[in-house]
Amino acid sequence: MTESTNHSGDDSFPPALGDTSTQASPRRGLVVLEGRTTEARNTTPIDLLRASMRSISIEAGRVIIGQQDTPQPLTFCLLSGGHALLEGLPGVGKSLIARSMAEISGLTFRHVRMTPDLEADRLVRELCVPADGGRECLYEPCFANLVLADDIEQLPPRARAVLLQAMEERTATMEGRVWTLPSPFVVIATRNLPPLHGPHPLTERERDSFLMQLTIAYPSSRDLARIVGRTTGSGSTPARQVTDVVSVRRMTDLVREVPIARHVTDYAVRLVLATHAKDPSAPPLVRQYVVAGASPRGAQALVLAAKAAALMDGRYNVAFDDLRYLLIPTLRHRLTVRSAASEAGVDPDMILQQVLRAIDEEP
């Protein structure tokens, strides 16, 4: 995504950004911008915001090798308050990506391995960070901010329903009491590429609960050599914390305050409607292969992620480019396609690319 010209006038931005306690570094008065720590007193509110958002993405790109297309949209997902589904072959770093995002963002983290024998009650307990003697953990459960649901398609339906409830309602039931989950509460789930899917494939409704699906590609020969060198040597490259949970919470709130013009919203709506075979604007691949298009939740996800993208670019408004950039990761998992599509070598990404070509910005 390219840098756009900022609109002038900080007074039009939400006042909360002017709070000097909003910071992009765990140390007060400092921000980490483009890998450098600088004094925050000379920065504008939008600089503080962009520093926080961009630092998360940049640091993730430094730690995660060979996945250049993953850190930025995953940052948008995190700051939109949504959940992410990572799909890829075993061993390509899906778990590392989730753990790194938690460490970089200063969020508490739980890695829960989904197994066929994991019961619902035990799953809820697995969402908690082990008590370390702190007062806040003595008398009530400490649920993690970011949960890695590793190999989610191994989880049986009853336990998965509990996880989906936590994702959608931000609550969990333990020992007969309903607990409110922390803010933020983000689930990053992983699953293998077909035909290596688990015994309990995600249903259309379950997939719709994820704001994004990101495909984790197998590394190139050059990247694989870097991975081998980094992981088999004596040194290590730990992730640096560049922000904290309070800042993430404020950024998530601010994302929703970004305005979007009516004609830009209209473009998002027309893109989503074009994924339905019966819609007059649907392109040929949609009419031929799509059984069910994206739901209204897909339109919400697209606009929220686009708002986060606009903020990272230093803009107070959503642009058409933001929607185009994020259409595929926010909608690819929401399309239900016929088996004939895979037989013809057509996947959801190809279908959505045709949607982008078919729908004009202005009606």
Side-chain angles (χ1 to χ4, degrees):
M1 179 170 290
T2 58
E3 188 78 8
S4 299
T5 303
N6 290 352
H7 295 281
S8 61
D10 288 337
D11 55 344
S12 63
F13 204 77
L17 271 177
D19 186 347
T20 56
S21 63
T22 302
Q23 58 209 38
S25 167
R27 292 177 289 170
R28 184 174 299 276
L30 299 177
V31 295
V32 181
L33 181 58
E34 303 292 349
R36 300 185 302 275
T37 303
T38 58
E39 292 292 336
R41 62 175 176 269
N42 295 324
T43 59
T44 65
I46 192 62
D47 289 332
L48 288 173
L49 177 64
R50 292 180 66 198
S52 296
M53 297 181 71
R54 297 182 69 181
S55 292
I56 295 173
S57 181
I58 291 169
E59 181 63 12
R62 184 186 71 85
V63 175
I64 303 163
I65 298 175
Q67 303 296 337
Q68 294 83 358
D69 296 333
T70 300
Q72 191 172 75
L74 191 57
T75 302
F76 298 156
C77 186
L78 172 67
L79 298 182
S80 300
H83 310 289
L85 179 61
L86 306 185
E87 184 178 71
L89 292 171
V92 293
K94 300 187 292 293
S95 300
L96 172 65
I97 291 171
R99 181 180 295 275
S100 298
M101 289 300 293
E103 293 174 349
I104 291 165
S105 305
L107 304 180
T108 54
F109 177 75
R110 284 292 286 164
H111 182 173
V112 185
R113 298 187 184 278
M114 302 295 160
T115 59
D117 61 347
L118 184 58
E119 297 179 353
D121 292 344
R122 183 179 152 212
L123 171 62
V124 174
R125 294 184 179 279
E126 289 290 336
L127 302 180
C128 298
V129 179
D132 59 1
R135 177 177 296 276
E136 67 275 13
C137 293
L138 286 177
Y139 306 109
E140 61 182 50
C142 289
F143 293 99
N145 294 119
L146 194 154
V147 173
L148 169 59
D150 203 358
D151 208 355
I152 191 171
E153 293 189 331
Q154 294 288 337
L155 194 63
R158 184 171 180 272
R160 200 155 70 201
V162 171
L163 179 63
L164 267 292
Q165 177 187 353
M167 292 167 57
E168 295 176 0
E169 300 179 10
R170 313 290 181 174
T171 61
T173 303
M174 180 185 293
E175 297 179 351
R177 180 174 174 181
V178 178
W179 299 92
T180 299
L181 298 178
S183 176
F185 175 75
V186 176
V187 172
I188 298 181
T190 70
R191 69 172 181 175
N192 294 324
L193 286 169
L196 301 177
H197 284 171
H200 305 289
L202 291 170
T203 65
E204 290 84 355
R205 178 187 174 280
E206 290 169 339
R207 294 198 305 270
D208 202 36
S209 297
F210 292 93
L211 188 138
M212 285 187 189
Q213 177 182 308
L214 302 175
T215 301
I216 310 303
Y218 194 85
S220 65
S221 58
R222 179 180 179 181
D223 289 329
L224 184 57
R226 291 177 60 203
I227 292 171
V228 171
R230 178 181 291 184
T231 57
T232 61
S234 57
S236 62
T237 307
R240 294 183 306 133
Q241 180 182 344
V242 300
T243 188
D244 56 31
V245 65
V246 174
S247 297
V248 170
R249 190 179 301 127
R250 288 172 176 165
M251 285 185 281
T252 301
D253 291 340
L254 286 170
V255 164
R256 290 185 171 270
E257 297 181 22
V258 175
I260 178 170
R262 181 175 299 178
H263 66 285
V264 180
T265 300
D266 178 68
Y267 180 55
V269 169
R270 287 185 289 112
L271 286 171
V272 172
L273 289 177
T275 66
H276 294 259
K278 293 183 179 181
D279 191 86
S281 65
L285 287 182
V286 172
R287 295 176 184 272
Q288 185 173 359
Y289 294 117
V290 174
V291 176
S295 69
R297 190 179 288 179
Q300 295 168 341
L302 175 60
V303 169
L304 271 177
K307 288 185 174 187
L311 283 180
M312 185 176 285
D313 263 357
R315 286 178 282 110
Y316 307 117
N317 60 289
V318 177
F320 291 124
D321 282 346
D322 301 321
L323 299 174
R324 284 192 291 264
Y325 176 68
L326 291 160
L327 182 78
I328 292 178
T330 56
L331 296 191
R332 57 159 56 113
H333 55 298
R334 304 178 198 272
L335 302 186
T336 302
V337 299
R338 294 183 172 88
S339 58
S342 59
E343 295 170 2
V346 176
D347 61 20
D349 287 16
M350 296 173 61
I351 295 172
L352 291 171
Q353 287 166 2
Q354 191 173 88
V355 168
L356 284 171
R357 292 192 296 267
I359 305 302
D360 295 329
E361 295 173 357
E362 301 293 345

